[in-house]
Amino acid sequence: MVPANNQATILHADLDAFYASVEQRDNPALQNMPMAVGTGIILSASYQARAMGVKTTMNVQVAKQYCPGLVTVEPRMEAYDSASQEVFEIFDDTTPYVEALSIDEAFLEVGGLRKIVGPPIEVAQILRNRIAGETGLPISVGIARTKFLAKVASGASKPDGLLLVEPDSELEFLHPLPVRSLWGVGKVAEGKLLAKGIATVGEVANAGITKLEQILGKSSGEHLYNLANNIDNRQVTKTKRRQSIGAQQALSPKNMNYAEIETLLIALVDRVTKRLRDGNRLAKTVMLRFRFGDFRSDTRSVSVADETDSTPELLAIARNILRNRRPEIETSGLTLIGFTLANLSTGEGIQQALDFTNNASPKLDIALDAVKDRFGTNSIGRAGLLSYEESVHTPVIPDTPD
Ligand SMILES: [Mg+2]
């Protein structure tokens, strides 16, 4: 269970200008430019466009009055979904306690990682570095004792920021903020509060509950009073089990040879299939994600007839998909490889076919998992991985708790 919280252990992680950042990542011509996604209404604007006054939900015609050089592009929801999946895979790889709020933000409870990884601020820094390195997207993280404050902190740290609010400086941080920063305060409530001379969160806290209930009604009044005094007992609740699990690896240097890339893939498959079995699940679909040196991205998937949790079986499929891309990899280079298992089901009640055709041994997988649980995921590996680690003297995959 999540420990009772009297320390700042809740992370609120939120990608910056999400859609616009994906477009800038995928198209170098858009980088460092005032640009926005949306051709009628602005859905997301780059920070360069925001600096000129462009805002989300603004009409494009109006936005161009503020920012005559504004470049707008059509939304590509598939690209955003896939980027979101990459980011959530890193969240899930960081802690088991991930509560998704939207396509690009989540709460993460990281209090239990202190001994294994480090204090929340270190966990947050590792998370930010991984997301930047593996997905090429900027993310801001707020850390606090309560969910509300963590969210306010990430907002205050943007763009590309990190902000920890220590428990003893919570009210100092919160009280000077405008009332608009409180959850649930929109234009209407803001107007009512301003009319009574209440402009800051501190003034909301000082107004007292009775006065707030008179201004805003009983439930809103109490809600705002609690937030303004930072009374927020909500814990991070794991969102429902995901329909896919996966991991990816940014490749550096870009000119890794094919054998090295294949070795990395083996490590990814090992790690993800272990998580699959830890969750007592079976997979039907193997997906590989590629980002090539020329910025093209591509996803390829293969489904099997019988769902499985066998590493050798899933690895064989993954290697096959990789082999089909070999010519492209060798001409363009690869900057990212991802391995995802989708169409997951719970394994209960399903009789697995015994496989006598190769070395696939459920017993071997279970034994390997037990060693990894005990000694960490880098303690044991397949022979392909060993030879890679011997030849390149850097850790291939950062060791993260499952
Ligand atoms: Mg965001």
Side-chain angles (χ1 to χ4, degrees):
M1 274 309 292
V2 175
N5 239 341
N6 45 25
Q7 292 175 320
T9 59
I10 297 176
L11 269 50
H12 179 259
D14 187 7
L15 291 160
D16 301 326
F18 178 45
Y19 299 169
S21 296
V22 172
E23 296 301 337
Q24 289 187 313
R25 176 194 72 183
D26 292 351
N27 183 353
L30 296 174
Q31 279 161 25
N32 302 313
M33 287 223 352
M35 58 78 57
V37 176
T39 44
I41 295 270
I42 304 286
L43 300 174
S44 172
S46 71
Y47 278 85
Q48 294 81 10
R50 290 173 192 216
M52 307 284 287
V54 177
K55 290 194 171 95
T56 303
T57 74
M58 215 177 231
N59 192 297
V60 168
Q61 306 302 333
V62 177
K64 285 189 170 162
Q65 285 165 20
Y66 285 95
C67 178
L70 185 70
V71 176
T72 57
V73 299
E74 297 264 8
R76 294 181 303 138
M77 288 317 291
E78 261 176 36
Y80 313 146
D81 278 344
S82 141
S84 171
Q85 195 177 326
E86 289 178 37
V87 169
F88 272 86
E89 278 165 7
I90 299 173
F91 289 165
D92 288 338
D93 207 24
T94 300
T95 168
Y97 301 103
V98 177
E99 179 177 344
L101 290 178
S102 73
I103 188 172
D104 77 323
E105 61 178 312
F107 287 119
L108 290 81
E109 168 59 58
V110 301
L113 303 183
R114 199 173 287 272
K115 283 202 182 124
I116 323 164
V117 184
I121 187 96
E122 257 176 55
V123 175
Q125 197 48 63
I126 294 169
L127 177 72
R128 277 169 35 78
N129 289 343
R130 281 195 65 190
I131 288 176
E134 294 172 32
T135 74
L137 297 171
I139 190 161
S140 296
V141 178
I143 312 167
R145 191 178 54 83
T146 65
K147 279 184 172 179
F148 166 62
L149 215 53
K151 187 169 163 80
V152 176
S154 75
S157 78
K158 279 182 179 295
D160 202 13
L162 174 61
L163 182 60
L164 163 67
V165 181
E166 296 280 13
D168 59 4
S169 60
E170 288 173 352
L171 296 182
E172 209 178 304
F173 168 74
L174 192 55
H175 281 179
L177 299 172
V179 288
R180 213 39 206 276
S181 344
L182 292 171
W183 260 348
V185 176
K187 260 199 180 120
V188 177
E190 182 186 34
K192 288 180 181 170
L193 290 166
L194 289 177
K196 299 284 179 185
I198 299 172
T200 67
V201 176
E203 284 160 1
V204 172
N206 290 332
I209 195 159
T210 319
K211 189 170 180 189
L212 292 170
E213 285 177 359
Q214 280 163 9
I215 303 170
L216 299 165
K218 187 146 176 53
S219 71
S220 301
E222 189 186 350
H223 167 75
L224 286 200
Y225 179 82
N226 286 339
L227 287 184
N229 287 286
N230 198 33
I231 301 167
D232 178 10
N233 294 322
R234 294 166 308 152
Q235 296 200 337
V236 174
T237 340
K238 242 170 133 166
T239 11
K240 72 172 170 62
R241 299 181 100 185
R242 298 176 64 73
Q243 289 312 297
S244 65
I245 55 171
Q248 68 253 317
Q249 178 77 35
L251 306 186
S252 178
K254 289 174 189 177
N255 53 3
M256 271 183 158
N257 69 36
Y258 183 80
E260 288 168 333
I261 290 169
E262 192 172 28
T263 312
L264 275 181
L265 177 66
I266 296 171
L268 285 177
V269 172
D270 246 345
R271 201 160 119 218
V272 174
T273 50
K274 177 183 183 314
R275 274 168 57 196
L276 182 76
R277 288 188 295 270
D278 283 350
N280 291 317
R281 308 186 85 180
L282 300 171
K284 211 172 161 58
T285 303
V286 171
M287 237 159 66
L288 255 62
R289 192 181 296 132
F290 303 95
R291 192 148 73 230
F292 296 99
D294 54 8
F295 295 97
R296 269 179 318 115
S297 300
D298 202 3
T299 303
R300 280 282 179 276
S301 63
V302 171
S303 291
V304 292
D306 294 313
E307 44 197 7
T308 178
D309 67 357
S310 148
T311 301
E313 228 175 283
L314 295 165
L315 178 60
I317 298 167
R319 282 181 121 154
N320 209 22
I321 300 174
L322 182 71
R323 207 169 301 133
N324 289 336
R325 308 314 288 269
R326 185 170 186 158
E328 277 166 283
I329 291 170
E330 286 179 342
T331 17
S332 311
L334 200 64
T335 59
L336 178 129
I337 184 161
F339 171 77
T340 298
L341 293 172
N343 280 323
L344 305 185
S345 63
T346 47
E348 295 142 23
I350 294 166
Q351 185 70 48
Q352 276 186 267
L354 285 176
D355 187 356
F356 297 106
T357 54
N358 59 19
N359 294 330
S361 156
K363 276 197 182 135
L364 174 65
D365 289 340
I366 292 164
L368 287 173
D369 289 351
V371 173
K372 287 174 189 166
D373 279 335
R374 183 114 196 241
F375 303 107
T377 43
N378 283 347
S379 58
I380 192 162
R382 288 166 199 282
L385 182 56
L386 285 179
S387 64
Y388 178 80
E389 282 177 330
E390 279 161 13
S391 60
V392 183
H393 299 279
T394 51
V396 179
I397 305 284
D399 195 7
T400 43
D402 273 326

